[in-house]
Amino acid sequence: MAVSVNEAVSTGPGRDHTPSTRRRGGRGRSVLEVALLTVLAVVMLFPVLWMIETSIKENRDVYAIPAKFFDFKVTLDHFKDVFAASGGGRSALSVSFLNSVVVAGVSTALATVLGVPAAWAYSRFSVKAKKDQLFFILSTRFMPPVVVVIPIFLMYRQLGLIDNKLGLILIYTAFNVPFTIWMMKGFVDEVPAEYEDAAMLDGYTRLQAFWKFTLPLLLPGIAATAVFALIFSWNEFVFAIFLTSSDSVRTAPPAIAGLIGGTTVDWGLVAAASVVFALPVLVFAYLVRKHLVAGVTLGAVRR
Amino acid sequence: MSESAPLTIDQPGQVASATPPAPGRSRRLSDRWLAGAFISPALLLLLAMSVFPLLWALYLSFTDYSATRGGPAHFVWFENYTAILTSAQVHLRALTTLIYVVGAVALQTVLGFSIAYLISRRTHGRGVLTTLFLVPMMLSPVVVGLFWRFMLDAQFGVINSMLGSLGLGQVEWLTQQGTALLSLIVVDTWQWTPFIMLIALAGLTAVPKYLYEAASIDRASEWFRFRTITLPLVWPLLLIAVLFRAIEAFRLFDLVYILTSGGPGVSTETLSFHVYKVAFLGFNTGTASAYGILMVLVVLVLTQLYLRYLNKLKED
């Protein structure tokens, strides 16, 4: 199966050019299709544009009835409020962003360190009941978080890991490891095992062959996999809201959700915080767009 | 003649001596050791963080344990399970979940496949279009939920504002019995249509072009070509995407929590949300564990189905 967005782009002339479509009203139909696509694109993108617009509107315009689409005053106050507290110093939101960076970064690094060697071993060696093991690994990723969080909560309470960044890092690592293994196994399968065999004939051990010859070839795949793991942990909400409570530990998703707790909601601030939160994800997703199909299906679907 | 004979006999011997003596056994042993060393840390983590908690939940599901009351847990055996399976409350949540999962996944599939089909027929700007359509999928459910909550706000919401300027009435999207579940389905569809689109597009671009060329030589109609070539070839991949989305929709929690918190009344309470209420608001840990184990069973069945189709796809 062709899989990447790039491949979808570069397939060249499409089917429109087959004689039969050209023969009968192909043109009018093509215009209709473009119009339909445009409408769909506008509908899909409008909420995102509206969010960006709200984040730079003055409060008066945010709550205007009827809604103002174009003639509003631009302000960056909401973005300032995201990072700076009203009394000076750092805001609780900015602390939560920092926590998110730490938790997502460390858990991704751990998942990579644990997952990549395992993926290599699953790809290269004949392991007992390999298929069953791989299926078991993937099914742990499908467990409903609300269900898993009940015993995890009790377990962490015993271990003193409630409201602790280490607790979040551990659980995020655990749900990124299955993804890393499945995604990386695909990449390792693409590197011929003969490279390692050749290196071993030259006197390297299997481990050295992996380290010196296979691993460098895997780096682009590792980078793409890590980016997806980063996005998953960055966006995660369920574990974060149940396992943390204090401002100094909380990650960004529960912190942003906490903005709507009161009787009045500062939607400008919510929008600005959402934009700051979503922007890195969109940039990273764009960087790994070639591997998007594999990434969003947890490494299960590829060519 | 006689001089060349020793040469030909000599050669095999030289080749044999060039390879190191008997590498097979010791290498296979060290490979085994290496595989174990590389795989076991990952498996141990999963055992500690996924399997052990589930086993603990399984144990708790047979008891009357409560996380707040503390004290020893008493075995009640299958009481929790029978209570859940016979509860009218749970049946109602199961129905809500079913409507939500079927509604959202069906809408996403139809819309996503249509968009993919339209994009696959374009020759220019496919990359840009695909990238733009994918944006909603990459956003966190928190951002999506919050933002739609603002847009669907009865007072300041842009949706009602647009309806107003079209001369239509205002709708209390999230605070009315009838529309709340519909809103939830619409928001989920907005976020995950790109997922189906992406995978359908991968399937559509993989259909070999010569099939269409052959069909057009035979003067097959467009609909005939779609029905006999496109759909059968894309369907296996699309089915994977649909199953994947169904599992995700079944275990969804965050969107409900942010968008409606299960309200108004219990009209948008899915099973996931109900488990949360039983566990963290009612503190009936034992009952909630049994509830959770039942949900895990459903997920396991769906996952098995998913993996079976995935395997079939890979073997083809």
Side-chain angles (χ1 to χ4, degrees), chain A residues 2 8-9 14 16 20 30 33 44 67 143 151 156-157 206 242 260, chain B residues 31 49 53 67 121-123 126-127 147 149 161 190 202 225 251 276:
Chain A
V9 183
D16 305 64
S20 77
S30 179
E33 282 180 10
M44 291 303 276
M143 289 302 121
Y156 277 13
R157 206 169 60 172
R206 175 72 89 165
F242 289 124
I260 59 164
Chain B
D31 276 0
M49 302 297 291
R121 294 173 57 88
R122 297 265 63 77
T123 40
R126 275 198 204 175
F147 222 72
R149 198 168 146 165
S161 176
W190 177 77
R225 278 191 282 167
R251 59 188 203 131
Y276 147 74

PDB file of all heavy atoms in Angstrom, chain A residues 2 8-9 14 16 20 30 33 44 67 143 151 156-157 206 242 260, chain B residues 31 49 53 67 121-123 126-127 147 149 161 190 202 225 251 276:
ATOM      1  N   ALA A   2       0.554   2.170  -0.870  1.00  0.00           N
ATOM      2  CA  ALA A   2       1.239   3.453  -0.810  1.00  0.00           C
ATOM      3  C   ALA A   2       0.716   4.173   0.411  1.00  0.00           C
ATOM      4  O   ALA A   2      -0.443   4.073   0.746  1.00  0.00           O
ATOM      5  CB  ALA A   2       0.949   4.274  -2.043  1.00  0.00           C
ATOM      6  N   ALA A   8       1.217  10.390  -2.086  1.00  0.00           N
ATOM      7  CA  ALA A   8      -0.095  10.743  -2.606  1.00  0.00           C
ATOM      8  C   ALA A   8       0.003  11.956  -3.515  1.00  0.00           C
ATOM      9  O   ALA A   8      -0.727  12.086  -4.484  1.00  0.00           O
ATOM     10  CB  ALA A   8      -1.056  11.028  -1.447  1.00  0.00           C
ATOM     11  N   VAL A   9       0.940  12.847  -3.212  1.00  0.00           N
ATOM     12  CA  VAL A   9       1.099  14.047  -4.002  1.00  0.00           C
ATOM     13  C   VAL A   9       1.766  13.755  -5.329  1.00  0.00           C
ATOM     14  O   VAL A   9       1.395  14.279  -6.361  1.00  0.00           O
ATOM     15  CB  VAL A   9       1.974  15.080  -3.243  1.00  0.00           C
ATOM     16  CG1 VAL A   9       2.070  16.351  -4.044  1.00  0.00           C
ATOM     17  CG2 VAL A   9       1.404  15.345  -1.881  1.00  0.00           C
ATOM     18  N   GLY A  14      -3.801  12.326 -12.564  1.00  0.00           N
ATOM     19  CA  GLY A  14      -4.815  11.452 -11.982  1.00  0.00           C
ATOM     20  C   GLY A  14      -5.693  10.829 -13.044  1.00  0.00           C
ATOM     21  O   GLY A  14      -5.370  10.844 -14.226  1.00  0.00           O
ATOM     22  N   ASP A  16      -8.552  11.794 -14.055  1.00  0.00           N
ATOM     23  CA  ASP A  16      -9.366  12.705 -14.864  1.00  0.00           C
ATOM     24  C   ASP A  16      -8.991  12.635 -16.335  1.00  0.00           C
ATOM     25  O   ASP A  16      -9.775  12.953 -17.202  1.00  0.00           O
ATOM     26  CB  ASP A  16      -9.173  14.146 -14.417  1.00  0.00           C
ATOM     27  CG  ASP A  16      -9.464  14.297 -12.947  1.00  0.00           C
ATOM     28  OD1 ASP A  16      -8.717  13.677 -12.149  1.00  0.00           O
ATOM     29  OD2 ASP A  16     -10.418  14.974 -12.623  1.00  0.00           O
ATOM     30  N   SER A  20     -12.654   8.590 -21.038  1.00  0.00           N
ATOM     31  CA  SER A  20     -14.091   8.515 -20.807  1.00  0.00           C
ATOM     32  C   SER A  20     -14.621   9.673 -19.979  1.00  0.00           C
ATOM     33  O   SER A  20     -15.718  10.134 -20.192  1.00  0.00           O
ATOM     34  CB  SER A  20     -14.463   7.190 -20.154  1.00  0.00           C
ATOM     35  OG  SER A  20     -14.123   7.233 -18.793  1.00  0.00           O
ATOM     36  N   SER A  30     -15.731  18.590 -12.813  1.00  0.00           N
ATOM     37  CA  SER A  30     -14.491  18.914 -12.118  1.00  0.00           C
ATOM     38  C   SER A  30     -14.652  20.193 -11.296  1.00  0.00           C
ATOM     39  O   SER A  30     -14.199  20.261 -10.153  1.00  0.00           O
ATOM     40  CB  SER A  30     -13.370  19.061 -13.148  1.00  0.00           C
ATOM     41  OG  SER A  30     -12.189  19.397 -12.512  1.00  0.00           O
ATOM     42  N   GLU A  33     -16.558  19.460  -8.227  1.00  0.00           N
ATOM     43  CA  GLU A  33     -15.746  18.749  -7.236  1.00  0.00           C
ATOM     44  C   GLU A  33     -14.827  19.697  -6.487  1.00  0.00           C
ATOM     45  O   GLU A  33     -14.661  19.586  -5.272  1.00  0.00           O
ATOM     46  CB  GLU A  33     -14.916  17.659  -7.926  1.00  0.00           C
ATOM     47  CG  GLU A  33     -15.740  16.436  -8.242  1.00  0.00           C
ATOM     48  CD  GLU A  33     -14.912  15.363  -8.913  1.00  0.00           C
ATOM     49  OE1 GLU A  33     -13.666  15.505  -8.960  1.00  0.00           O
ATOM     50  OE2 GLU A  33     -15.510  14.403  -9.395  1.00  0.00           O
ATOM     51  N   MET A  44     -13.821  22.423   7.745  1.00  0.00           N
ATOM     52  CA  MET A  44     -12.858  21.746   8.605  1.00  0.00           C
ATOM     53  C   MET A  44     -11.903  22.736   9.267  1.00  0.00           C
ATOM     54  O   MET A  44     -11.454  22.521  10.386  1.00  0.00           O
ATOM     55  CB  MET A  44     -12.041  20.726   7.795  1.00  0.00           C
ATOM     56  CG  MET A  44     -12.815  19.526   7.316  1.00  0.00           C
ATOM     57  SD  MET A  44     -13.614  18.608   8.628  1.00  0.00           S
ATOM     58  CE  MET A  44     -12.291  17.560   9.183  1.00  0.00           C
ATOM     59  N   ALA A  67     -21.223  37.799  16.291  1.00  0.00           N
ATOM     60  CA  ALA A  67     -19.777  37.610  16.290  1.00  0.00           C
ATOM     61  C   ALA A  67     -19.104  38.468  15.225  1.00  0.00           C
ATOM     62  O   ALA A  67     -19.642  38.656  14.140  1.00  0.00           O
ATOM     63  CB  ALA A  67     -19.467  36.135  16.047  1.00  0.00           C
ATOM     64  N   MET A 143      -6.046  -0.287  25.948  1.00  0.00           N
ATOM     65  CA  MET A 143      -6.837  -0.314  27.187  1.00  0.00           C
ATOM     66  C   MET A 143      -7.466   1.057  27.434  1.00  0.00           C
ATOM     67  O   MET A 143      -6.815   2.074  27.234  1.00  0.00           O
ATOM     68  CB  MET A 143      -5.941  -0.676  28.373  1.00  0.00           C
ATOM     69  CG  MET A 143      -5.500  -2.114  28.366  1.00  0.00           C
ATOM     70  SD  MET A 143      -6.892  -3.222  28.384  1.00  0.00           S
ATOM     71  CE  MET A 143      -6.633  -4.139  26.893  1.00  0.00           C
ATOM     72  N   PRO A 151      -6.725   1.277  39.092  1.00  0.00           N
ATOM     73  CA  PRO A 151      -5.669   0.587  39.854  1.00  0.00           C
ATOM     74  C   PRO A 151      -4.351   1.371  39.894  1.00  0.00           C
ATOM     75  O   PRO A 151      -3.638   1.286  40.887  1.00  0.00           O
ATOM     76  CB  PRO A 151      -5.494  -0.738  39.114  1.00  0.00           C
ATOM     77  CG  PRO A 151      -6.102  -0.538  37.786  1.00  0.00           C
ATOM     78  CD  PRO A 151      -7.172   0.483  37.938  1.00  0.00           C
ATOM     79  N   TYR A 156      -0.181   4.055  42.814  1.00  0.00           N
ATOM     80  CA  TYR A 156       0.636   5.251  43.033  1.00  0.00           C
ATOM     81  C   TYR A 156       0.441   5.792  44.453  1.00  0.00           C
ATOM     82  O   TYR A 156       1.353   6.379  45.021  1.00  0.00           O
ATOM     83  CB  TYR A 156       0.273   6.338  41.999  1.00  0.00           C
ATOM     84  CG  TYR A 156       0.966   6.178  40.669  1.00  0.00           C
ATOM     85  CD1 TYR A 156       1.621   5.000  40.339  1.00  0.00           C
ATOM     86  CD2 TYR A 156       0.997   7.225  39.744  1.00  0.00           C
ATOM     87  CE1 TYR A 156       2.260   4.852  39.126  1.00  0.00           C
ATOM     88  CE2 TYR A 156       1.631   7.082  38.528  1.00  0.00           C
ATOM     89  CZ  TYR A 156       2.257   5.902  38.219  1.00  0.00           C
ATOM     90  OH  TYR A 156       2.903   5.768  37.019  1.00  0.00           O
ATOM     91  N   ARG A 157      -0.776   5.601  44.988  1.00  0.00           N
ATOM     92  CA  ARG A 157      -1.003   6.089  46.341  1.00  0.00           C
ATOM     93  C   ARG A 157      -0.110   5.336  47.331  1.00  0.00           C
ATOM     94  O   ARG A 157       0.444   5.918  48.250  1.00  0.00           O
ATOM     95  CB  ARG A 157      -2.479   5.907  46.708  1.00  0.00           C
ATOM     96  CG  ARG A 157      -2.944   6.893  47.757  1.00  0.00           C
ATOM     97  CD  ARG A 157      -4.432   6.871  47.901  1.00  0.00           C
ATOM     98  NE  ARG A 157      -4.941   5.570  48.302  1.00  0.00           N
ATOM     99  CZ  ARG A 157      -6.213   5.358  48.634  1.00  0.00           C
ATOM    100  NH1 ARG A 157      -7.081   6.354  48.602  1.00  0.00           N
ATOM    101  NH2 ARG A 157      -6.617   4.168  48.979  1.00  0.00           N
ATOM    102  N   ARG A 206      27.535  -9.281  17.349  1.00  0.00           N
ATOM    103  CA  ARG A 206      26.188  -8.900  16.931  1.00  0.00           C
ATOM    104  C   ARG A 206      25.819  -7.524  17.480  1.00  0.00           C
ATOM    105  O   ARG A 206      25.276  -6.681  16.784  1.00  0.00           O
ATOM    106  CB  ARG A 206      25.220  -9.973  17.456  1.00  0.00           C
ATOM    107  CG  ARG A 206      23.774  -9.703  17.217  1.00  0.00           C
ATOM    108  CD  ARG A 206      23.349  -9.848  15.782  1.00  0.00           C
ATOM    109  NE  ARG A 206      22.935 -11.196  15.455  1.00  0.00           N
ATOM    110  CZ  ARG A 206      22.258 -11.483  14.335  1.00  0.00           C
ATOM    111  NH1 ARG A 206      21.956 -10.540  13.457  1.00  0.00           N
ATOM    112  NH2 ARG A 206      21.942 -12.721  14.078  1.00  0.00           N
ATOM    113  N   PHE A 242      -6.144  12.843  36.534  1.00  0.00           N
ATOM    114  CA  PHE A 242      -6.416  12.022  37.713  1.00  0.00           C
ATOM    115  C   PHE A 242      -5.199  11.847  38.611  1.00  0.00           C
ATOM    116  O   PHE A 242      -5.338  11.608  39.800  1.00  0.00           O
ATOM    117  CB  PHE A 242      -6.940  10.648  37.300  1.00  0.00           C
ATOM    118  CG  PHE A 242      -8.334  10.708  36.752  1.00  0.00           C
ATOM    119  CD1 PHE A 242      -8.617  10.219  35.490  1.00  0.00           C
ATOM    120  CD2 PHE A 242      -9.349  11.283  37.492  1.00  0.00           C
ATOM    121  CE1 PHE A 242      -9.896  10.292  34.982  1.00  0.00           C
ATOM    122  CE2 PHE A 242     -10.638  11.361  36.994  1.00  0.00           C
ATOM    123  CZ  PHE A 242     -10.903  10.865  35.731  1.00  0.00           C
ATOM    124  N   ILE A 260     -11.659  26.796  32.576  1.00  0.00           N
ATOM    125  CA  ILE A 260     -13.109  26.994  32.437  1.00  0.00           C
ATOM    126  C   ILE A 260     -13.856  26.587  33.695  1.00  0.00           C
ATOM    127  O   ILE A 260     -15.055  26.404  33.678  1.00  0.00           O
ATOM    128  CB  ILE A 260     -13.694  26.241  31.218  1.00  0.00           C
ATOM    129  CG1 ILE A 260     -13.417  24.745  31.341  1.00  0.00           C
ATOM    130  CG2 ILE A 260     -13.153  26.799  29.933  1.00  0.00           C
ATOM    131  CD1 ILE A 260     -14.276  23.934  30.402  1.00  0.00           C
TER     132      ILE A 260
ATOM    133  N   ASP B  31      22.903 -14.810  20.677  1.00  0.00           N
ATOM    134  CA  ASP B  31      21.750 -14.128  20.083  1.00  0.00           C
ATOM    135  C   ASP B  31      20.545 -14.226  21.004  1.00  0.00           C
ATOM    136  O   ASP B  31      19.840 -13.255  21.223  1.00  0.00           O
ATOM    137  CB  ASP B  31      21.383 -14.770  18.737  1.00  0.00           C
ATOM    138  CG  ASP B  31      22.232 -14.219  17.612  1.00  0.00           C
ATOM    139  OD1 ASP B  31      23.081 -13.352  17.905  1.00  0.00           O
ATOM    140  OD2 ASP B  31      22.063 -14.662  16.473  1.00  0.00           O
ATOM    141  N   MET B  49       3.146  -1.810  34.512  1.00  0.00           N
ATOM    142  CA  MET B  49       2.262  -0.657  34.364  1.00  0.00           C
ATOM    143  C   MET B  49       0.925  -0.988  33.693  1.00  0.00           C
ATOM    144  O   MET B  49       0.017  -0.173  33.721  1.00  0.00           O
ATOM    145  CB  MET B  49       2.958   0.462  33.580  1.00  0.00           C
ATOM    146  CG  MET B  49       4.243   0.960  34.180  1.00  0.00           C
ATOM    147  SD  MET B  49       4.010   1.723  35.795  1.00  0.00           S
ATOM    148  CE  MET B  49       3.124   3.196  35.352  1.00  0.00           C
ATOM    149  N   PRO B  53      -1.658  -3.694  37.051  1.00  0.00           N
ATOM    150  CA  PRO B  53      -2.841  -2.914  37.427  1.00  0.00           C
ATOM    151  C   PRO B  53      -4.144  -3.592  37.040  1.00  0.00           C
ATOM    152  O   PRO B  53      -5.107  -3.582  37.810  1.00  0.00           O
ATOM    153  CB  PRO B  53      -2.667  -1.607  36.655  1.00  0.00           C
ATOM    154  CG  PRO B  53      -1.207  -1.488  36.452  1.00  0.00           C
ATOM    155  CD  PRO B  53      -0.701  -2.881  36.291  1.00  0.00           C
ATOM    156  N   ALA B  67     -12.004   3.100  47.891  1.00  0.00           N
ATOM    157  CA  ALA B  67     -10.717   3.786  48.009  1.00  0.00           C
ATOM    158  C   ALA B  67     -10.719   4.799  49.151  1.00  0.00           C
ATOM    159  O   ALA B  67      -9.684   5.105  49.713  1.00  0.00           O
ATOM    160  CB  ALA B  67     -10.361   4.475  46.704  1.00  0.00           C
ATOM    161  N   ARG B 121      -8.883  12.511  -6.960  1.00  0.00           N
ATOM    162  CA  ARG B 121      -9.188  12.825  -8.349  1.00  0.00           C
ATOM    163  C   ARG B 121      -8.537  14.114  -8.813  1.00  0.00           C
ATOM    164  O   ARG B 121      -8.591  14.441  -9.998  1.00  0.00           O
ATOM    165  CB  ARG B 121     -10.707  12.924  -8.533  1.00  0.00           C
ATOM    166  CG  ARG B 121     -11.415  11.590  -8.323  1.00  0.00           C
ATOM    167  CD  ARG B 121     -12.901  11.775  -8.355  1.00  0.00           C
ATOM    168  NE  ARG B 121     -13.339  12.379  -9.607  1.00  0.00           N
ATOM    169  CZ  ARG B 121     -13.638  11.674 -10.702  1.00  0.00           C
ATOM    170  NH1 ARG B 121     -13.547  10.377 -10.676  1.00  0.00           N
ATOM    171  NH2 ARG B 121     -14.024  12.282 -11.791  1.00  0.00           N
ATOM    172  N   ARG B 122      -7.979  14.871  -7.881  1.00  0.00           N
ATOM    173  CA  ARG B 122      -7.314  16.116  -8.253  1.00  0.00           C
ATOM    174  C   ARG B 122      -5.899  15.822  -8.746  1.00  0.00           C
ATOM    175  O   ARG B 122      -5.274  14.858  -8.311  1.00  0.00           O
ATOM    176  CB  ARG B 122      -7.236  17.070  -7.065  1.00  0.00           C
ATOM    177  CG  ARG B 122      -8.585  17.518  -6.552  1.00  0.00           C
ATOM    178  CD  ARG B 122      -9.017  18.836  -7.142  1.00  0.00           C
ATOM    179  NE  ARG B 122      -9.216  18.812  -8.576  1.00  0.00           N
ATOM    180  CZ  ARG B 122     -10.300  18.286  -9.177  1.00  0.00           C
ATOM    181  NH1 ARG B 122     -11.231  17.715  -8.492  1.00  0.00           N
ATOM    182  NH2 ARG B 122     -10.415  18.333 -10.481  1.00  0.00           N
ATOM    183  N   THR B 123      -5.426  16.660  -9.662  1.00  0.00           N
ATOM    184  CA  THR B 123      -4.047  16.492 -10.086  1.00  0.00           C
ATOM    185  C   THR B 123      -3.139  17.507  -9.405  1.00  0.00           C
ATOM    186  O   THR B 123      -1.986  17.239  -9.150  1.00  0.00           O
ATOM    187  CB  THR B 123      -3.926  16.676 -11.608  1.00  0.00           C
ATOM    188  OG1 THR B 123      -4.774  17.742 -12.003  1.00  0.00           O
ATOM    189  CG2 THR B 123      -4.285  15.411 -12.323  1.00  0.00           C
ATOM    190  N   ARG B 126      -2.712  18.465  -4.266  1.00  0.00           N
ATOM    191  CA  ARG B 126      -3.102  17.388  -3.371  1.00  0.00           C
ATOM    192  C   ARG B 126      -2.400  17.479  -2.032  1.00  0.00           C
ATOM    193  O   ARG B 126      -3.003  17.279  -0.987  1.00  0.00           O
ATOM    194  CB  ARG B 126      -2.711  16.058  -3.997  1.00  0.00           C
ATOM    195  CG  ARG B 126      -3.702  15.520  -4.945  1.00  0.00           C
ATOM    196  CD  ARG B 126      -3.341  14.089  -5.046  1.00  0.00           C
ATOM    197  NE  ARG B 126      -3.776  13.493  -6.262  1.00  0.00           N
ATOM    198  CZ  ARG B 126      -3.454  12.241  -6.582  1.00  0.00           C
ATOM    199  NH1 ARG B 126      -2.666  11.562  -5.820  1.00  0.00           N
ATOM    200  NH2 ARG B 126      -3.893  11.711  -7.661  1.00  0.00           N
ATOM    201  N   GLY B 127      -1.091  17.776  -2.079  1.00  0.00           N
ATOM    202  CA  GLY B 127      -0.312  17.828  -0.843  1.00  0.00           C
ATOM    203  C   GLY B 127      -0.843  18.880   0.100  1.00  0.00           C
ATOM    204  O   GLY B 127      -1.055  18.625   1.285  1.00  0.00           O
ATOM    205  N   PHE B 147     -12.616  24.330  22.603  1.00  0.00           N
ATOM    206  CA  PHE B 147     -12.919  25.290  21.560  1.00  0.00           C
ATOM    207  C   PHE B 147     -14.307  25.129  20.993  1.00  0.00           C
ATOM    208  O   PHE B 147     -14.990  26.100  20.725  1.00  0.00           O
ATOM    209  CB  PHE B 147     -11.834  25.300  20.475  1.00  0.00           C
ATOM    210  CG  PHE B 147     -11.659  26.715  20.197  1.00  0.00           C
ATOM    211  CD1 PHE B 147     -11.028  27.500  21.122  1.00  0.00           C
ATOM    212  CD2 PHE B 147     -12.355  27.304  19.177  1.00  0.00           C
ATOM    213  CE1 PHE B 147     -11.035  28.865  20.993  1.00  0.00           C
ATOM    214  CE2 PHE B 147     -12.356  28.663  19.048  1.00  0.00           C
ATOM    215  CZ  PHE B 147     -11.691  29.449  19.955  1.00  0.00           C
ATOM    216  N   ARG B 149     -16.716  23.990  22.720  1.00  0.00           N
ATOM    217  CA  ARG B 149     -17.606  24.444  23.775  1.00  0.00           C
ATOM    218  C   ARG B 149     -17.856  25.951  23.634  1.00  0.00           C
ATOM    219  O   ARG B 149     -18.968  26.428  23.837  1.00  0.00           O
ATOM    220  CB  ARG B 149     -16.963  24.145  25.125  1.00  0.00           C
ATOM    221  CG  ARG B 149     -17.949  24.178  26.232  1.00  0.00           C
ATOM    222  CD  ARG B 149     -17.366  23.596  27.480  1.00  0.00           C
ATOM    223  NE  ARG B 149     -17.922  24.304  28.614  1.00  0.00           N
ATOM    224  CZ  ARG B 149     -17.858  23.879  29.851  1.00  0.00           C
ATOM    225  NH1 ARG B 149     -17.239  22.761  30.102  1.00  0.00           N
ATOM    226  NH2 ARG B 149     -18.378  24.570  30.822  1.00  0.00           N
ATOM    227  N   SER B 161     -24.493  32.573  16.455  1.00  0.00           N
ATOM    228  CA  SER B 161     -24.409  33.884  15.827  1.00  0.00           C
ATOM    229  C   SER B 161     -24.653  33.781  14.319  1.00  0.00           C
ATOM    230  O   SER B 161     -25.369  34.580  13.724  1.00  0.00           O
ATOM    231  CB  SER B 161     -23.035  34.492  16.107  1.00  0.00           C
ATOM    232  OG  SER B 161     -22.905  35.709  15.436  1.00  0.00           O
ATOM    233  N   TRP B 190     -15.745  15.959  13.484  1.00  0.00           N
ATOM    234  CA  TRP B 190     -14.856  17.017  12.995  1.00  0.00           C
ATOM    235  C   TRP B 190     -13.391  16.647  13.233  1.00  0.00           C
ATOM    236  O   TRP B 190     -12.552  16.785  12.367  1.00  0.00           O
ATOM    237  CB  TRP B 190     -15.173  18.348  13.690  1.00  0.00           C
ATOM    238  CG  TRP B 190     -14.241  19.433  13.278  1.00  0.00           C
ATOM    239  CD1 TRP B 190     -14.272  20.131  12.103  1.00  0.00           C
ATOM    240  CD2 TRP B 190     -13.113  19.939  13.990  1.00  0.00           C
ATOM    241  NE1 TRP B 190     -13.233  21.040  12.062  1.00  0.00           N
ATOM    242  CE2 TRP B 190     -12.522  20.937  13.209  1.00  0.00           C
ATOM    243  CE3 TRP B 190     -12.551  19.635  15.244  1.00  0.00           C
ATOM    244  CZ2 TRP B 190     -11.386  21.651  13.620  1.00  0.00           C
ATOM    245  CZ3 TRP B 190     -11.430  20.337  15.649  1.00  0.00           C
ATOM    246  CH2 TRP B 190     -10.863  21.330  14.842  1.00  0.00           C
ATOM    247  N   ALA B 202      -4.541   6.738   1.315  1.00  0.00           N
ATOM    248  CA  ALA B 202      -3.438   5.795   1.112  1.00  0.00           C
ATOM    249  C   ALA B 202      -3.918   4.608   0.285  1.00  0.00           C
ATOM    250  O   ALA B 202      -3.234   4.144  -0.624  1.00  0.00           O
ATOM    251  CB  ALA B 202      -2.900   5.324   2.457  1.00  0.00           C
ATOM    252  N   ARG B 225     -16.983   1.257 -12.340  1.00  0.00           N
ATOM    253  CA  ARG B 225     -15.564   1.213 -11.989  1.00  0.00           C
ATOM    254  C   ARG B 225     -15.373   1.406 -10.491  1.00  0.00           C
ATOM    255  O   ARG B 225     -14.582   0.736  -9.853  1.00  0.00           O
ATOM    256  CB  ARG B 225     -14.801   2.306 -12.742  1.00  0.00           C
ATOM    257  CG  ARG B 225     -14.436   1.905 -14.150  1.00  0.00           C
ATOM    258  CD  ARG B 225     -13.477   2.884 -14.731  1.00  0.00           C
ATOM    259  NE  ARG B 225     -14.169   4.092 -15.151  1.00  0.00           N
ATOM    260  CZ  ARG B 225     -13.545   5.222 -15.466  1.00  0.00           C
ATOM    261  NH1 ARG B 225     -12.237   5.289 -15.406  1.00  0.00           N
ATOM    262  NH2 ARG B 225     -14.223   6.268 -15.841  1.00  0.00           N
ATOM    263  N   ARG B 251     -13.580   3.943  23.958  1.00  0.00           N
ATOM    264  CA  ARG B 251     -12.885   4.251  25.210  1.00  0.00           C
ATOM    265  C   ARG B 251     -12.740   5.746  25.444  1.00  0.00           C
ATOM    266  O   ARG B 251     -12.084   6.184  26.380  1.00  0.00           O
ATOM    267  CB  ARG B 251     -11.519   3.560  25.250  1.00  0.00           C
ATOM    268  CG  ARG B 251     -10.628   3.952  24.123  1.00  0.00           C
ATOM    269  CD  ARG B 251      -9.364   3.131  24.047  1.00  0.00           C
ATOM    270  NE  ARG B 251      -8.386   3.933  23.321  1.00  0.00           N
ATOM    271  CZ  ARG B 251      -7.148   4.142  23.734  1.00  0.00           C
ATOM    272  NH1 ARG B 251      -6.734   3.603  24.825  1.00  0.00           N
ATOM    273  NH2 ARG B 251      -6.349   4.889  23.029  1.00  0.00           N
ATOM    274  N   TYR B 276     -15.884   6.490  35.412  1.00  0.00           N
ATOM    275  CA  TYR B 276     -15.192   7.558  36.143  1.00  0.00           C
ATOM    276  C   TYR B 276     -16.039   8.037  37.308  1.00  0.00           C
ATOM    277  O   TYR B 276     -15.548   8.217  38.428  1.00  0.00           O
ATOM    278  CB  TYR B 276     -14.867   8.702  35.181  1.00  0.00           C
ATOM    279  CG  TYR B 276     -14.893  10.082  35.789  1.00  0.00           C
ATOM    280  CD1 TYR B 276     -13.861  10.511  36.633  1.00  0.00           C
ATOM    281  CD2 TYR B 276     -15.932  10.966  35.520  1.00  0.00           C
ATOM    282  CE1 TYR B 276     -13.887  11.782  37.195  1.00  0.00           C
ATOM    283  CE2 TYR B 276     -15.967  12.229  36.072  1.00  0.00           C
ATOM    284  CZ  TYR B 276     -14.948  12.633  36.915  1.00  0.00           C
ATOM    285  OH  TYR B 276     -14.980  13.882  37.469  1.00  0.00           O
TER     286      TYR B 276
END
